[in-house]
Amino acid sequence: MDTSAITQQDLPLTGNLVIDQEMLRSVFAGCSDVVFHTFQTACLTSALCVYCVGVCDTERLERQVLTPLQEKGIKAAQVPLASVKQVETTTQAVQAIFEGEALLLLDGLIGGTTYPLYQAANRSTEEPLAESTVRGARDGFTESLTMNMSLLRKRLKTPVLKIHTRNMGDRTNTSISLVYMEGIIDPKLVKEVETRLGDLKLRDVLESQYIEEGIVDQRYSPFPQMIATERPDVVVSNLLEGRFAILVDGTPFTLIAPVTIFSMLQSPEDYYQNVFMSVFVRWLRYIFYFIHATSIGLCSDYDVSSGDDSYRIASQYCSGERRDPFSCTGGSTHYGNCL
């Protein structure tokens, strides 16, 4: 049975448990981690619970949803009502299930109810090894988009911080968030970024690099046009300077733009030192970068006509006129015969 056509369609949940279960089984055909659990409530109503193993917390599902439903009825589920959502189509159901929610369908009730019982394997918000500092914050982004957004909210407790979340990738359906400070950033820049993100058509989004390649001005340029960082404090400081950030679920690397070459030469510690010392260190960084980029290699300073012995000897080795005394080529060396 070809289920690709059914998978791509957005079909409504009818309220007929048999039909809805058949549609969902067709959508999840070949997904062994998606479990279909049929049971009867305390009121003898046929019910179906669909969840994804490893993403949904099955212990909480059993304790807070399934057991109360079977013993006391539909209103006995021990889940905060504020977090319960209603879904009406198969697309909404698929999205909720893969995000860690449990879908409950009741026979005779159109649509379904989702219970947020997430169980994400998130690592701790430890300091990034590649961006460690002597002074400053010790936390870093993780692979969880929700956790990363909370790290920003912890530092910017204001409604001026705007977060627009959308899903991208036809096959991965990855959540990404556009973050900026309203009133600080140029509104035209926000509109331009939202337009580029809306026009971006991707099949897969596995990392923030997928987004970066699609929205930069010079796609084939070898030079970076956006900053990728794992530090929340770096993102916050750039947001306060009128830039925007893009967070992608599944990766700790957050994109920051627009940037210049001077932005690439900044260090996270610049924001934690005395202002005069930070400016001094930055200017030293700029000066040495300019010297490194414009200086000529030391090898070109050799004057061939000056009769420099070191240059002459090196040329003889390169041309084969002089043999290496430690080489086994040619038989004996200064220190005995080669074995």
Side-chain angles (χ1 to χ4, degrees):
M1 178 179 180
D2 185 10
T3 62
S4 59
I6 299 178
T7 304
Q8 296 176 0
Q9 292 180 2
D10 189 12
L11 303 176
L13 299 174
T14 63
N16 188 316
L17 192 61
V18 177
I19 297 177
D20 292 343
Q21 182 176 356
E22 183 179 354
M23 286 193 304
L24 290 175
R25 286 188 179 276
S26 299
V27 172
F28 292 111
C31 301
S32 60
D33 56 339
V34 177
V35 177
F36 289 79
H37 177 67
T38 57
F39 63 98
Q40 285 188 335
T41 66
C43 302
L44 301 181
T45 302
S46 298
L48 171 67
C49 182
V50 187
Y51 59 93
C52 183
V53 177
V55 183
C56 179
D57 191 338
T58 55
E59 294 185 2
R60 291 177 55 198
L61 174 63
E62 180 70 27
R63 183 177 65 254
Q64 299 179 8
V65 179
L66 296 181
T67 300
L69 287 176
Q70 297 178 52
E71 295 179 353
K72 300 179 181 180
I74 185 62
K75 296 183 179 180
Q78 302 174 0
V79 178
L81 295 179
S83 59
V84 176
K85 297 186 298 183
Q86 300 295 322
V87 296
E88 299 179 353
T89 64
T90 55
T91 301
Q92 295 175 354
V94 170
Q95 180 69 20
I97 291 171
F98 282 138
E99 286 182 352
E101 302 181 16
L103 173 65
L104 177 65
L105 299 177
L106 297 176
D107 193 19
L109 182 62
I110 299 178
T113 306
T114 60
Y115 299 91
L117 302 171
Y118 315 108
Q119 180 178 293
N122 297 327
R123 59 184 176 89
S124 60
T125 57
E126 55 192 12
E127 183 180 16
L129 297 178
E131 300 179 74
S132 60
T133 59
V134 176
R135 181 176 182 179
R138 299 298 182 183
D139 56 353
F141 288 131
T142 67
E143 287 75 16
S144 172
L145 179 62
T146 304
M147 176 69 71
N148 295 342
M149 289 190 295
S150 66
L151 292 175
L152 298 181
R153 281 292 184 190
K154 184 174 67 174
R155 290 171 167 81
L156 296 172
K157 304 179 180 68
T158 170
V160 176
L161 176 64
K162 303 300 181 182
I163 302 177
H164 297 172
T165 303
R166 66 177 72 194
N167 293 330
M168 300 189 66
D170 296 336
R171 296 188 294 190
T172 58
N173 205 21
T174 306
S175 299
I176 72 167
S177 295
L178 172 64
V179 186
Y180 62 91
M181 295 290 290
E182 189 178 45
I184 299 179
I185 193 173
D186 187 354
K188 296 181 180 179
L189 178 59
V190 177
K191 185 177 180 180
E192 176 65 22
V193 176
E194 291 181 338
T195 301
R196 295 192 184 189
L197 290 175
D199 295 339
L200 195 58
K201 305 299 180 183
L202 297 173
R203 291 188 304 172
D204 312 306
V205 178
L206 303 178
E207 217 273 337
S208 55
Q209 177 67 23
Y210 288 62
I211 305 298
E212 180 179 1
E213 290 182 357
I215 66 175
V216 294
D217 293 327
Q218 305 295 332
R219 181 177 181 182
Y220 300 103
S221 173
F223 304 102
Q225 301 172 64
M226 303 182 75
I227 294 178
T229 181
E230 298 181 69
R231 297 187 61 95
D233 53 347
V234 173
V235 174
V236 169
S237 61
N238 280 274
L239 293 177
L240 295 174
E241 293 176 359
R243 299 182 177 92
F244 67 86
I246 297 179
L247 286 72
V248 180
D249 191 25
T251 176
F253 290 95
T254 298
L255 302 176
I256 301 174
V259 295
T260 63
I261 188 174
F262 299 103
S263 304
M264 305 290 181
L265 297 176
Q266 292 182 4
S267 170
E269 289 187 342
D270 292 345
Y271 298 96
Y272 298 108
Q273 295 179 351
N274 179 275
V275 58
F276 300 104
M277 179 60 66
S278 297
V279 173
F280 175 72
V281 173
R282 280 191 184 184
W283 274 106
L284 283 180
R285 206 177 292 137
Y286 300 156
I287 292 173
F288 283 112
Y289 173 80
F290 176 79
I291 294 175
H292 176 73
T294 57
S295 62
I296 304 175
L298 295 178
C299 292
S300 62
D301 292 337
Y302 282 112
D303 187 358
V304 180
S305 61
S306 63
D308 192 302
D309 290 339
S310 59
Y311 181 84
R312 178 174 52 81
I313 295 174
S315 300
Q316 291 176 355
Y317 276 119
C318 294
S319 62
E321 297 177 6
R322 179 187 292 260
R323 295 184 182 276
D324 186 356
F326 296 98
S327 173
C328 291
T329 304
S332 61
T333 66
H334 293 174
Y335 299 96
N337 297 328
C338 291
L339 298 179

